[in-house]
Amino acid sequence: MGQRAGSGATAGDRRKRRIVALGLLSSLIALACAAFLIGGHVLRLRRASAESALITGLEKQVRSDAAAAPRLEEERKRQTETSLEREARNRRLAWVLLLAAGLSIACGKRYMSLRPQPLPSLDDLVAARLAPPSSPAGARWRKKAAAGGRSDVASPDVSGGEAAVDLSFVDDLVARVGRSREGAIVMLQAIQAHYRYLPDEALQRVCELTDITPAQIAGSSTFYAHFRRSPVGRHVVRVCHGTACHVAGVGQIDEELRRHLGIAPGEDTDARRMFTLDKVACLGCCSLAPVMMIEEETAGHLTPATARQALGRMAVTT
């Protein structure tokens, strides 16, 4: 495995060197073409006055001596041919200049894409989310949490535990909806909207206070796909898996996000419950494929690297 990693690194270094060499060569060609064009223009300006003076002198000589007419015609023909050759050469140099400059820019962009980019780790993202209240990041997070009114929702603990679920909402819900079994779906929808998933404690309290049986709860909560039995992360990342995004390689992006966030196979939320990857059929942004939404922010034309960078920007700006 070590030899394979070493050979991969060597191949990557060779690719970078080839790109650098091609970029330098194209840059030198572009500079040489620009120098020839500028030098030719300066030289033409210097010769223009002398050539004009020569034509004027020959025209005066023809007025007094008709024998000088062939010489005047020959000089005009020579200057015309020289001007046409110079224009044709300048056009060729201009095309070479454009192609070389474009190749140089492309090589520069390709080299920058191959360079290792400093991306935030999952620990950095968690630190930004759970920063102390005295820090700017912590103050923003506390303000957002308070505005959301989710103090009664179970939240992840950095020590690995989880806060107890406040069941007062379930008690109030039963008082409003009633004890009838017909209200099972309504209660499940309300619990899902409040806690963002269906906590076992809340479902058990529903069975204790109503005529709804555990079997009915289990059947309804598993039949409808929008019900969640596991806690959702603080931040939901909706990754589009529609046709356009699938063709554009969203599978690689999904794998990279899962690897970066440390989401176990078969799960959709990381162990610290900071992020939940939600596969959706379409986000309505097919022109931006592959695309994902982080909360309300849309990130399109993604690569595995830019998808990780989008998570990092969210950790800083929200």
Side-chain angles (χ1 to χ4, degrees):
M1 184 177 295
Q3 293 178 353
R4 191 176 303 171
S7 62
T10 303
D13 293 339
R14 287 198 299 268
R15 188 182 302 112
K16 290 180 182 179
R17 287 195 293 268
R18 287 196 296 267
I19 292 175
V20 170
L22 183 60
L24 290 177
L25 178 61
S26 58
S27 298
L28 291 176
I29 294 175
L31 290 175
C33 292
F36 276 116
L37 288 173
I38 295 174
H41 181 69
V42 173
L43 184 61
R44 183 180 64 82
L45 291 178
R46 290 183 177 180
R47 290 180 176 178
S49 57
E51 291 176 349
S52 178
L54 178 59
I55 294 296
T56 302
L58 289 175
E59 289 176 346
K60 291 181 179 180
Q61 187 176 355
V62 167
R63 294 191 189 97
S64 58
D65 184 6
R71 184 182 174 188
L72 174 62
E73 184 65 22
E74 181 180 353
E75 181 62 24
R76 285 177 173 172
K77 182 178 179 181
R78 184 192 67 80
Q79 292 189 17
T80 300
E81 292 177 351
T82 301
S83 177
L84 293 176
E85 291 176 357
R86 182 169 54 247
E87 291 180 0
R89 183 178 66 251
N90 289 345
R91 282 196 298 269
R92 291 193 295 270
L93 288 175
W95 277 109
V96 174
L97 171 61
L98 291 175
L99 293 176
L103 181 59
S104 176
I105 294 174
C107 289
K109 290 185 175 180
R110 179 59 177 167
Y111 177 77
M112 294 300 296
S113 67
L114 293 177
R115 292 180 58 190
Q117 304 177 13
L119 298 174
S121 65
L122 181 58
D123 291 336
D124 295 334
L125 298 180
V126 173
R129 291 301 180 190
L130 302 179
S134 58
S135 66
R140 287 195 298 268
W141 181 83
R142 299 288 180 178
K143 182 178 180 181
K144 183 176 181 180
R150 295 286 181 178
S151 59
D152 56 346
V153 180
S155 58
D157 189 352
V158 290
S159 62
E162 181 179 334
V165 177
D166 186 351
L167 298 178
S168 59
F169 173 79
V170 179
D171 297 339
D172 295 337
L173 178 63
V174 172
R176 294 196 311 270
V177 177
R179 298 169 51 88
S180 173
R181 298 181 60 180
E182 286 72 15
I185 297 298
V186 175
M187 289 188 181
L188 291 179
Q189 290 174 337
I191 292 173
Q192 168 100 0
H194 184 75
Y195 296 102
R196 302 177 69 191
Y197 77 108
L198 301 177
D200 291 337
E201 299 89 336
L203 299 183
Q204 183 177 356
R205 178 62 66 88
V206 169
C207 294
E208 293 173 354
L209 299 180
T210 68
D211 297 331
I212 302 172
T213 64
Q216 185 179 2
I217 288 287
S220 299
S221 62
T222 55
F223 180 79
Y224 296 100
H226 68 278
F227 287 135
R228 290 186 58 90
R229 294 300 305 271
S230 59
V232 67
R234 281 207 180 102
H235 305 283
V236 177
V237 181
R238 290 185 289 170
V239 183
C240 180
H241 283 258
T243 302
C245 292
H246 176 75
V247 173
V250 72
Q252 296 179 355
I253 295 171
D254 188 78
E255 292 177 1
E256 174 62 17
L257 290 176
R258 295 180 65 88
R259 186 199 64 79
H260 177 57
L261 296 174
I263 299 177
E267 302 291 335
D268 59 3
T269 304
D270 65 278
R272 300 184 182 183
R273 295 177 186 170
M274 294 297 299
F275 294 93
T276 292
L277 292 185
D278 185 16
K279 292 184 178 181
V280 297
C282 185
L283 289 175
C285 305
C286 297
S287 61
L288 301 178
V291 63
M292 68 180 184
M293 287 190 68
I294 308 172
E295 303 297 349
E296 301 301 325
E297 178 184 354
T298 303
H301 301 304
L302 295 173
T303 64
T306 57
R308 291 180 57 184
Q309 289 176 335
L311 290 179
R313 287 196 301 269
M314 186 187 71
V316 174
T317 58
T318 61

